[in-house]
Amino acid sequence: MRRFLLAALMLGLPGPLAAAEHRLAVTPSAVTVETRLLGDADGETRVILPVGAGAPRVFGARIVARSGGALALSARSGARIAVRYAVAAAPVMAGSQVFAVLADRHAEPATLTWTRLPRGWRSLSDLEGAQAVEADLPRATLMAGPNLTVVEDGAGNRVATHGDAAAARRTLALAAPVLAAHRAYWRREGPSLIALTAPPPPSAEALAETLARADVLRVGAPKAGLAEALTEFLAVRLALRSGALDAPTSILRLDASDRPDTPVGRLTLWLLRLDDELHLRTGGKADLDDVLLRMRQHHDRFAPGAAPDLETAFISAVWVTAGLDVRPDLARHGAGGRPVPLPETLYAGCLIARVTVAPAFDAGFDVAASQAARAVRGVKRRGPAWNAGLRDGMRLDALKLSPGDTTREIEATTRPARGGRARMIRFWPYGDAVTESRTLAAPSRPPVPDCARRLAGL
């Protein structure tokens, strides 16, 4: 494994600091980071080191308390402070592995500077070219190495890898539309970076799902069921907006998600219904996209780890966006296990929910006992087997049956109990109960010119 060092050396503290400075220098063996900041107005500055950081060295302040990686520093207001520490290295590093968290400063500007690289090495971060704040640092991606390859398309899309330029170019061609749709969805500017550390994503649709999964972590602490449902909703949105999916294919994917026996399946369908309801309720001014955007904006106001959980953030954002209390529905269809009723059509008729009602499977006799005894057992009076002429005690020479399948007849080859000619008895395994199944489908004649845009929330 290629390893690299992000090291920062304190070379004196020049002039007043307009923002915290995170200075990085690279050598091949270990990671050292130096953060320069000004002391808080109350005389106590709090810094939280990343997990795994070694013993820190502090300049310009005294450590007055320490609990794990959390440091309380004593220094006068506006004093220039530097905190230096070491962490483990890797070819690709998440910002949370590298940067300290400055307590109560998550919205303040932050700068990243690479101060030293070994000869022939190159470095890269997705913070470069962006106006970063402290809250952006834990979510950053950092790369450095002697064979770091970066390909870009001039439209703000970059793919970086250690060595395999051909894979990077293929990934960029596949990813560019998805990354553009991703930036537009979150209404942000600046370059997009993919750090390629594994085989490239097999498709643009798979990349959209990967981005969606990371995005859901940016709007609230994960909550089982709801997090996966939001990921599926957002992945389909990004895939539609980038052209990775068309309307009929996206509906097939959503239909596969319609599993009423799982919380994720129920909540995914509930989100579709809620998205359409928000659109209608607000006269087209808002939908679930606006809810997610509000959640992200709210989440970014908090220090890492301090934001509300996903469910709380979601409930609040829906209420603020449309004045709708979704707590009862979320409880009913999530942990409550209740299936999600859908109207016949959603999204102005671009999605149809077809419900098929059919009789439940009922053989009308005890199949297992009959096969074991090679004689008919347990015939239900007035049931399908009884009505076809099957009776207890008949010899059972052969039985053809597909358990649970009401589209195939049951065939039983029988003889009288005391012997005689064989007779074939055939009947449909229709019980008195009924079952309902739902299929999501695209209309044969789309009601609007571009259902893909409607389904994508555009």
Side-chain angles (χ1 to χ4, degrees), residues 52-429:
R57 295 183 63 188
V58 177
F59 304 86
R62 291 185 302 108
I63 300 177
V64 294
R66 178 174 183 178
S67 176
L71 308 178
L73 308 179
S74 176
R76 61 179 175 81
S77 174
R80 289 176 290 177
I81 303 171
V83 180
R84 188 189 304 167
Y85 54 90
V87 294
V92 179
M93 300 190 75
S96 58
Q97 298 172 281
V98 176
F99 298 113
V101 174
L102 309 184
D104 302 322
R105 298 192 183 193
H106 50 279
E108 293 185 6
T111 62
L112 166 63
T113 304
W114 302 86
T115 61
R116 184 183 302 172
L117 293 170
R119 187 182 300 275
W121 280 43
R122 185 178 181 183
S123 62
L124 182 68
S125 169
D126 54 358
L127 295 177
E128 295 162 17
Q131 294 181 342
V133 295
E134 287 294 324
D136 295 322
L137 298 182
R139 297 184 283 263
T141 299
L142 305 170
M143 299 182 73
N147 58 351
L148 181 61
T149 299
V150 182
V151 296
E152 47 193 312
D153 60 5
N157 304 310
R158 297 177 295 171
V159 175
T161 185
H162 287 286
D164 193 347
R169 284 191 290 271
R170 290 194 300 270
T171 301
L172 181 62
L174 174 147
V178 180
L179 294 176
H182 186 256
R183 286 195 299 274
Y185 186 92
W186 294 111
R187 303 176 193 175
R188 69 177 184 84
E189 299 178 355
S192 298
L193 170 65
I194 294 178
L196 196 58
T197 58
S203 66
E205 182 182 356
L207 176 59
E209 184 169 343
T210 299
L211 292 173
R213 187 172 294 107
D215 287 336
V216 170
L217 296 177
R218 287 282 307 270
V219 298
K223 192 83 170 182
L226 182 59
E228 292 90 338
L230 283 170
T231 296
E232 178 65 9
F233 173 85
L234 184 53
V236 171
R237 276 275 153 100
L238 292 176
L240 280 165
R241 293 188 180 199
S242 64
L245 288 179
D246 58 17
T249 309
S250 71
I251 293 174
L252 286 175
R253 173 168 174 165
L254 292 170
D255 182 58
S257 300
D258 187 7
R259 296 184 55 194
D261 57 327
T262 67
V264 176
R266 294 190 298 271
L267 291 178
T268 298
L269 270 292
W270 174 63
L271 290 177
L272 287 181
R273 191 185 73 186
L274 177 61
D275 181 50
D276 200 45
E277 181 181 352
L278 292 176
H279 181 85
L280 297 173
R281 187 184 183 95
T282 63
K285 295 179 180 179
D287 57 16
L288 209 51
D289 300 332
D290 298 277
V291 171
L292 287 169
L293 186 62
R294 186 178 295 275
M295 290 172 68
R296 181 158 176 170
Q297 291 169 342
H298 187 66
H299 182 271
D300 286 349
R301 295 173 187 163
F302 291 86
D309 67 80
L310 186 65
E311 187 172 301
T312 300
F314 183 79
I315 292 169
S316 175
V318 174
W319 176 259
V320 173
T321 301
L324 186 63
D325 183 2
V326 296
R327 288 175 296 179
D329 276 354
L330 187 54
R332 184 181 301 114
H333 303 308
R338 298 284 296 277
V340 179
L342 292 180
E344 291 183 3
T345 63
L346 292 167
Y347 297 104
C350 287
L351 188 153
I352 298 174
R354 295 191 180 119
V355 176
T356 302
V357 179
F361 180 89
D362 183 7
F365 67 106
D366 190 330
V367 174
S370 300
Q371 289 178 318
R374 299 192 62 79
V376 178
R377 297 282 187 270
V379 177
K380 297 178 184 177
R381 192 174 184 83
R382 307 303 179 192
W386 171 280
N387 293 336
L390 209 63
R391 296 292 185 271
D392 285 337
M394 285 182 171
R395 295 181 183 180
L396 186 64
D397 291 349
L399 179 65
K400 186 177 181 181
L401 173 146
S402 297
D405 188 353
T406 59
T407 66
R408 296 175 182 272
E409 286 186 303
I410 293 177
E411 298 179 0
T413 303
T414 64
R415 297 176 186 271
R418 297 180 180 179
R421 285 183 69 179
R423 180 164 71 102
M424 170 76 75
I425 297 177
R426 303 174 63 178
F427 59 94
W428 294 100

